[in-house]
Amino acid sequence: MGHRFLNSRVSSAAHSGVDDPHVIALVERAVARDQSAFAELYDLYLDRIYRYVYYRTGDRHDAEDLSEQVFLQAWAAIERFRWQSKPFVAWLYTVAHNAVIDWRRRAVNTETLNDPDNPIEVESDGATQAMTQWIDRDLLAKAVKRLTPEQQQVIILKFLDGFDTATIARVMDKREGTIRALQLRALQSLRRELERHGEGLAA
Amino acid sequence: MNRVDQESELAEALEQALTERASTTAVLDGQIAELLQLARTFEKTAHLIAPSIHFRASRLMKIAHFGVLRLFR
């Protein structure tokens, strides 16, 4: 992935049909260094970036720190942003991806997921709690952390962002068949990991 | 059918199952049904994970603060 989204210049018409007009307007104002527009983008995308980073790091404190870094780096680089027939969030994910790589290089101990003093922040209501009782959320997050970076990216883009395979293929510069294969392997790996820890998948 | 073809077929079947949201796991191949169920669970639990309200508020203020932003330019 690298920094290639950050520096490529393409026609501004390339955003057509990729993001909704409100987001496009906010991005264009932010590119012109409008702080209030960027603050709106922050509010709009913080949750998604946080989840992305959380699933890549497995630690909520690191996820918070890295989310902050992602937006600060994005603000610093936003003047270089150009539409590339991809949603704006794809560019943010590239910034986040690079931030996670830097974090991994710095990390000494990567096994910090289950911190008993700081349980993961999960907002839950009765219905969803009942639905997820049979699966350990921490374990699922830990299993995601064990996937390859490409597998992580595919399942995050697919199941968190709800992007279709064609969009994910554009975001990751890969063929749709490759994305489908990555998706299959990711879910198979998750299932194996959960089974290894005794979490059955039968309802 | 070789291993690559088998994987490709399975990947295609999974994609179809994920796309056709009305499908019930009962009519699907066992492995696909399990993967579909896992995907749906991931989808639902993932959206429950969010930064704290405190974090969101404090960082938003920081982001909006010109003095801080200038440091990163």
Side-chain angles (χ1 to χ4, degrees), chain A residues 110-174:
Chain A
T110 58
E111 292 296 325
T112 57
L113 186 80
N114 291 314
D115 180 352
D117 297 328
N118 295 290
I120 294 165
E121 293 272 334
V122 177
E123 296 165 11
S124 181
D125 57 34
T128 50
Q129 209 162 23
M131 185 271 299
T132 59
Q133 263 179 349
W134 55 276
I135 204 160
D136 186 308
R137 287 175 296 234
D138 293 5
L139 194 57
L140 183 54
K142 193 167 188 174
V144 172
K145 192 185 168 194
R146 291 183 192 281
L147 299 177
T148 67
E150 285 188 335
Q151 289 173 351
Q152 288 174 338
Q153 202 155 11
V154 167
I155 65 158
I156 289 168
L157 292 172
K158 185 70 168 264
F159 304 119
L160 267 67
D161 285 300
F163 289 149
D164 61 23
T165 300
T167 303
I168 297 170
R170 281 203 307 277
V171 168
M172 294 179 68
D173 286 332
K174 292 187 183 300

Side-chain angles (χ1 to χ4, degrees), chain A residues 15-189:
Chain A
H15 60 58
S16 169
V18 175
D19 275 311
D20 74 50
H22 177 62
V23 170
I24 292 167
L26 285 176
V27 170
E28 291 186 349
R29 282 170 51 205
V31 168
R33 304 213 63 79
D34 179 327
Q35 290 171 47
S36 64
F38 188 76
E40 274 194 63
L41 289 170
Y42 172 90
D43 209 26
L44 205 56
Y45 291 114
L46 174 63
D47 284 3
R48 289 161 79 170
I49 294 302
Y50 176 85
R51 285 181 201 122
Y52 177 89
V53 174
Y54 172 74
Y55 277 113
R56 302 288 304 270
T57 63
D59 181 90
R60 76 181 180 99
H61 293 301
D62 288 328
E64 288 186 346
D65 288 347
L66 281 169
S67 298
E68 182 182 12
Q69 281 180 38
V70 167
F71 283 96
L72 289 170
Q73 288 172 12
W75 174 252
I78 193 116
E79 284 168 301
R80 299 199 300 276
F81 171 80
R82 296 295 181 273
W83 295 102
Q84 289 190 313
S85 304
K86 297 167 188 173
F88 174 69
V89 73
W91 182 76
L92 286 178
Y93 280 144
T94 301
V95 178
H97 173 78
N98 293 330
V100 170
I101 288 174
D102 289 345
W103 172 82
R104 282 200 175 130
R105 284 193 191 118
R106 292 192 307 266
V108 176
N109 180 10
T110 58
E111 292 296 325
T112 57
L113 186 80
N114 291 314
D115 180 352
D117 297 328
N118 295 290
I120 294 165
E121 293 272 334
V122 177
E123 296 165 11
S124 181
D125 57 34
T128 50
Q129 209 162 23
M131 185 271 299
T132 59
Q133 263 179 349
W134 55 276
I135 204 160
D136 186 308
R137 287 175 296 234
D138 293 5
L139 194 57
L140 183 54
K142 193 167 188 174
V144 172
K145 192 185 168 194
R146 291 183 192 281
L147 299 177
T148 67
E150 285 188 335
Q151 289 173 351
Q152 288 174 338
Q153 202 155 11
V154 167
I155 65 158
I156 289 168
L157 292 172
K158 185 70 168 264
F159 304 119
L160 267 67
D161 285 300
F163 289 149
D164 61 23
T165 300
T167 303
I168 297 170
R170 281 203 307 277
V171 168
M172 294 179 68
D173 286 332
K174 292 187 183 300
R175 289 164 44 193
E176 288 186 37
T178 306
I179 300 301
R180 285 194 287 273
L182 283 166
Q183 174 177 266
L184 173 69
R185 286 179 213 144
L187 288 173
Q188 287 174 327
S189 296

Side-chain angles (χ1 to χ4, degrees), chain B residues 11-65:
Chain B
E12 186 57 46
L14 176 63
E15 174 74 7
Q16 204 169 344
L18 287 166
T19 307
E20 293 168 7
R21 301 191 72 91
S23 295
T24 61
T25 55
V27 298
L28 296 170
D29 163 78
Q31 186 180 177
I32 296 295
E34 278 192 3
L35 297 180
L36 185 63
Q37 188 180 358
L38 179 57
R40 297 292 177 240
T41 301
F42 181 70
E43 253 175 351
K44 287 169 185 165
T45 58
H47 284 88
L48 301 175
I49 294 170
S52 65
I53 292 168
H54 173 73
F55 172 81
R56 184 193 303 278
S58 65
R59 294 305 187 268
L60 189 57
M61 283 169 64
K62 201 177 208 179
I63 288 281
H65 192 273

